[in-house]
Amino acid sequence: MANQEDIFKKVISHAKEYGYIFQSSEIYDGLSAVYDYGQNGAELKKNIREYWWKAMVQLNDNIVGIDAAIFMHPTTWKASGHVDAFNDPLIDNKDSKKRYRADVLVEDHVAKIEAKIDKEVTKAAKRFGDSFDKDQFLSTNQRVLDYQNKATTILKRLGQSLEKEDLADVKALIEELGIVCPVSGSKNWTDVKQFNLMFGTKLGASADTATDLYLRPETAQGIFVNFLNVQKTGRMKIPFGIAQTGKAFRNEIVARQFIFRMREFEQMEMQYFIKPGTQKEWYEAWKEKRMKWHLSLGMGKENYRYHDHEKLAHYADAAADIEFKFPFGFKELEGIHSRTDFDLASHEKYSGKKLQYFDPELNESYVPYVLETSIGLDRMFLAVFSNSLVEEQLENNTSRVVLKLPAVLAPTKVAVLPLLRKDGLPEIAQKLVNELKWNFNVVYDEKDAVGRRYRRQDAVGTPFCVTVDHQTLEDETVTIRHRDSMEQQRIALSEVKGIIAKEVDMKEWLKGI
Ligand code: GAP
């Protein structure tokens, strides 16, 4: 079996080869941690965004969507706490001169301990065969329990030190764990320092009158400052939500792992405004709701888990991540945060404007509490893309590379292939393309043997291929081939649209959530 690093390299090269993701400004050797989406990537990204928007806005009577600007009044970021507290703890290695996030160094160390647990499980599964009970093994094997205990203790201490801003203890922890610089191999570390992640820019024509601005580091604040506008114009009653998708910018220092951590990325966020005191129940409800959304895509229950935060952000009284099993292990995909009234109350204070809701049932006004769900669109893209890419051994001793994207998200839904480039077959195929393209993205491909064309569509992730052959001339039937099972069926030309429509209909995918 290929190791994690090899699998991840394959994901990155496949994304490039098939027009999904390119390094930004590649002809100038690229820009670190900035990426462009190609012709297929843009479609997949749009489909993920739409899948989220439909589930969040269209299917919830009490959630509406907005589209706020990236630039905001600079006081926004003072009020939100980002100017003072949106920092990463950094540490330099004096020998390699490389800079790291101190918390990531510790988390990577913990990931190695967790990998040892996985190894024990694999070994035991082999030893015990069919009678192996993973849960029982995890809760009784002494070696595994020791590893788990070690990992939990380290993460707890890290969380507490960061919470208390005790950066000396973070350094002490790195030293005690014997963490070495991956480049120099030395333990020669500087002190840990805080570094603000916001990008600054200027608004205005001349240097002396220009105003300092920030590129927004989260989309959420565009929702908070519009809370009353939406509530009043939409006559919204608590509980209600405001959703939006859009770009956010962070000067990430440890920007690696492809599109997992970028400097310019897109978020899909929803702020749910609730009555103070009800935050616990809404927190649990949204944790569950969001997990259901993820599971609706059928990417395997075992690939998700919750991770409750030890260290809470400056605005939260509870927070959890939905983690996904990326090629480099379980990592945060989405955050669910109970943000209390921190943001609205702070904007009230800094703006001098009341940001309250009059509750007709209680006959009183209050600053609502907020429950937030926040997912990175690019990170969701990586989850979907990496999970879908598989290399399959086939019966005839060959293999195929197939991108098993959920059909509802696939950039192109169907490829139409005339078996030969003659006898009127291309004309019938083109006619079918012209009909289907009103409903789906369709490609027409007549080059190479049909087997090779199937492989090309497998690799790019097209869920259906429809082949027009000589029998079509006689009885108006075609072959439809399903990407994942490679099964082929003979169906009437007139049925093609209906069969595909059902398989890619968002309603069919989302109705279980
Ligand atoms: N409004 C809350 C907020 O922004 P966050 O946990 O900092 O919370 C939310 O970010 C989500 O945004 C993350 O779960 C992740 O999916 C995505 N995200 C954050 N930083 C990112 C980055 N540098 N590159 C790509 N996605 C990122």
Side-chain angles (χ1 to χ4, degrees):
M1 203 179 85
N3 68 27
Q4 287 189 338
E5 212 169 298
D6 288 344
I7 293 172
F8 194 37
K9 275 189 191 150
K10 277 191 185 150
V11 167
I12 297 170
S13 65
H14 197 88
K16 179 172 180 195
E17 190 179 343
Y18 288 92
Y20 278 88
I21 298 171
F22 308 127
Q23 173 80 59
S24 157
S25 349
E26 194 186 283
I27 58 167
Y28 295 105
D29 295 333
L31 187 62
S32 150
V34 185
Y35 291 91
D36 296 338
Y37 288 86
Q39 65 280 18
N40 288 317
E43 293 288 341
L44 174 56
K45 198 173 167 200
K46 177 174 70 67
N47 292 343
I48 297 173
R49 194 189 293 112
E50 197 187 334
Y51 196 72
W52 181 88
W53 189 271
K54 271 230 160 94
M56 200 53 102
V57 179
Q58 196 171 326
L59 294 179
N60 286 297
D61 301 342
N62 63 345
I63 299 181
V64 292
I66 66 166
D67 184 9
I70 287 171
F71 290 138
M72 299 185 71
H73 192 285
T75 311
T76 308
W77 305 110
K78 192 75 196 150
S80 68
H82 284 81
V83 171
D84 296 320
F86 195 53
N87 301 317
D88 271 349
L90 298 186
I91 191 165
D92 294 306
N93 183 268
K94 291 183 195 163
D95 298 319
S96 66
K97 310 273 182 267
K98 289 275 174 207
R99 178 163 280 191
Y100 299 94
R101 259 179 64 179
D103 53 338
V104 172
L105 282 180
V106 176
E107 281 165 10
D108 284 352
H109 181 86
V110 169
K112 282 185 195 147
I113 299 175
E114 285 172 346
K116 286 183 186 165
I117 298 177
D118 286 347
K119 242 190 189 158
E120 293 293 332
V121 171
T122 314
K123 263 193 338 207
K126 246 193 209 153
R127 204 167 56 236
F128 293 114
D130 286 347
S131 63
F132 181 59
D133 179 339
K134 188 175 167 191
D135 289 338
Q136 195 194 353
F137 180 74
L138 286 176
S139 58
T140 52
N141 181 278
Q142 194 52 45
R143 199 172 301 162
V144 166
L145 290 174
D146 289 345
Y147 284 141
Q148 275 167 351
N149 194 13
K150 206 166 162 188
T152 318
T153 311
I154 295 171
L155 287 180
K156 196 160 182 190
R157 177 159 159 208
L158 176 70
Q160 284 167 347
S161 309
L162 290 172
E163 180 87 48
K164 287 186 291 188
E165 291 263 329
D166 185 353
L167 300 182
D169 191 56
V170 177
K171 182 180 178 186
L173 181 59
I174 288 173
E175 287 175 339
E176 280 168 39
L177 295 174
I179 295 175
V180 298
C181 166
V183 176
S184 69
S186 92
K187 297 178 194 165
N188 197 5
W189 297 109
T190 62
D191 288 342
V192 179
K193 286 198 200 81
Q194 293 288 21
F195 173 85
N196 194 286
L197 295 183
M198 283 197 292
F199 281 107
T201 185
K202 291 201 181 290
L203 179 95
S206 68
D208 41 332
T209 58
T211 313
D212 287 317
L213 291 187
Y214 295 106
L215 297 184
R216 65 180 180 196
E218 62 170 10
T219 58
Q221 297 304 323
I223 291 180
F224 289 124
V225 299
N226 279 299
F227 157 70
L228 262 196
N229 285 336
V230 175
Q231 191 270 320
K232 290 225 152 80
T233 56
R235 297 169 52 219
M236 310 297 290
K237 289 205 171 46
I238 272 178
F240 73 91
I242 306 178
Q244 79 166 324
T245 69
K247 286 277 172 107
F249 303 82
R250 296 183 188 178
N251 196 0
E252 300 281 3
I253 294 310
V254 186
R256 55 191 163 110
Q257 293 168 326
F258 196 36
I259 57 167
F260 181 80
R261 199 179 300 288
M262 301 156 91
R263 298 204 162 103
E264 174 182 341
F265 58 101
E266 193 165 334
Q267 288 186 314
M268 306 190 287
E269 298 201 298
M270 192 279 301
Q271 323 296 133
Y272 204 63
F273 297 91
I274 55 177
K275 198 156 85 182
T278 62
Q279 65 268 34
K280 256 206 150 64
E281 68 197 72
W282 284 116
Y283 174 65
E284 294 304 331
W286 277 103
K287 267 173 80 173
E288 199 179 310
K289 250 169 125 61
R290 291 303 302 147
M291 186 61 99
K292 275 192 173 165
W293 180 84
H294 285 286
L295 296 179
S296 72
L297 286 169
M299 299 201 300
K301 200 165 186 254
E302 67 287 359
N303 290 322
Y304 300 86
R305 70 182 188 194
Y306 291 112
H307 170 246
D308 294 322
H309 284 206
E310 286 285 342
K311 175 189 187 279
L312 292 172
H314 57 276
Y315 50 71
D317 71 354
D321 295 333
I322 292 178
E323 292 189 338
F324 184 76
K325 197 168 183 193
F326 288 97
F328 36 83
F330 272 102
K331 294 274 178 209
E332 172 185 351
L333 171 58
E334 170 158 13
I336 290 116
H337 310 128
S338 171
R339 287 184 83 127
T340 67
D341 61 354
F342 174 86
D343 301 86
L344 288 181
S346 187
H347 285 304
E348 266 202 333
K349 192 170 116 206
Y350 278 85
S351 68
K353 310 267 167 34
K354 272 210 170 330
L355 294 175
Q356 302 197 356
Y357 170 78
F358 177 74
D359 191 325
E361 276 166 31
L362 298 178
N363 201 25
E364 67 177 46
S365 294
Y366 55 77
V367 177
Y369 268 42
V370 170
L371 199 287
E372 165 183 79
T373 71
S374 175
I375 175 168
L377 174 49
D378 313 85
R379 223 171 255 194
M380 184 64 196
F381 186 113
L382 183 59
V384 171
F385 192 88
S386 59
N387 186 265
S388 302
L389 185 61
V390 284
E391 200 171 334
E392 269 180 3
Q393 292 305 318
L394 303 176
E395 276 166 11
N396 54 359
N397 244 351
T398 57
S399 67
R400 67 163 184 159
V401 174
V402 50
L403 194 59
K404 293 187 169 179
L405 297 170
V408 66
L409 301 180
T412 300
K413 305 302 187 201
V414 52
V416 180
L417 323 171
L419 187 65
L420 298 174
R421 249 186 288 177
K422 58 180 187 184
D423 302 336
L425 304 185
E427 286 75 12
I428 299 176
Q430 279 291 1
K431 197 168 156 228
L432 183 61
V433 168
N434 288 338
E435 194 192 321
L436 294 177
K437 72 182 177 192
W438 290 95
N439 299 80
F440 328 107
N441 281 345
V442 191
V443 292
Y444 172 83
D445 189 1
E446 58 175 26
K447 203 166 169 284
D448 301 322
V450 77
R452 288 196 52 188
R453 282 181 267 170
Y454 284 155
R455 289 288 177 276
R456 237 179 351 248
Q457 297 305 327
D458 286 346
V460 81
T462 309
F464 302 99
C465 287
V466 171
T467 306
V468 174
D469 56 19
H470 289 95
Q471 197 182 326
T472 316
L473 299 172
E474 287 163 25
D475 62 6
E476 298 209 333
T477 63
V478 287
T479 304
I480 186 164
R481 174 186 180 269
H482 299 255
R483 177 197 63 199
D484 297 350
S485 62
M486 295 191 290
E487 220 173 82
Q488 300 190 16
Q489 287 167 281
R490 199 79 206 173
I491 58 167
L493 254 177
S494 57
E495 288 177 308
V496 172
K497 188 161 65 189
I499 289 176
I500 299 170
K502 187 159 188 299
E503 297 282 336
V504 304
D505 186 358
M506 281 199 189
K507 184 176 166 195
E508 294 297 319
W509 291 76
L510 281 171
K511 68 184 177 194
I513 69 170

